[in-house]
Amino acid sequence: MNQSALLRPDWTPATIALMILGFMVFWPLGLAMLAYIIFGERLRGFKRDVNQATDGFFASCRRSHAHHRPHFSTGNVAFDDWRKAELDRIEEERRKLDEMRKEFDEYLRELRRAKDQEEFDRFMRDRKNTKRDDNGGPIAEFQTP
């Protein structure tokens, strides 16, 4: 068992021990560990959303900075034209990569949604196929005499 599996956000002996130890040493550490155990699964999505927002913010800063940057001329018109064409080509490639990343993120979201739907449908099918007694509990298939 590797270390990341030991500290997954779940009620494992390791996380419970760390939470208790955190409360004993300094109560905010125990509280942070408790929050990690309870809300840890949501941290990946939160981190991804924050990273995307940060990437978008800095990308817009780069674009706005590039538009307001004074045009530096070397004095060689041919070189300046070539440099401008290359920078435009690179910016177009960056735009294409950003679009591809957005498409891939949407594809992953759709895969997750389909997987969740499949698991839910399987649960509902299994639940429907389970025989119930009058009290609402499942009927045992094999009863001992």
Side-chain angles (χ1 to χ4, degrees), residues 84-106:
K84 183 179 180 324
E86 286 297 306
L87 289 174
D88 290 343
R89 182 185 63 79
I90 290 171
E91 186 62 34
E92 179 65 22
E93 287 294 320
R94 178 179 291 141
R95 187 187 61 75
K96 287 179 186 176
L97 286 173
D98 287 343
E99 287 177 7
M100 288 171 59
R101 186 189 70 203
K102 287 178 186 175
E103 289 172 5
F104 183 69
D105 288 344
E106 181 62 32

Side-chain angles (χ1 to χ4, degrees), residues 70-77 80 83:
H71 181 66
F72 177 74
S73 175
T74 62
N76 186 328
V77 176
D80 289 342
R83 183 181 64 186

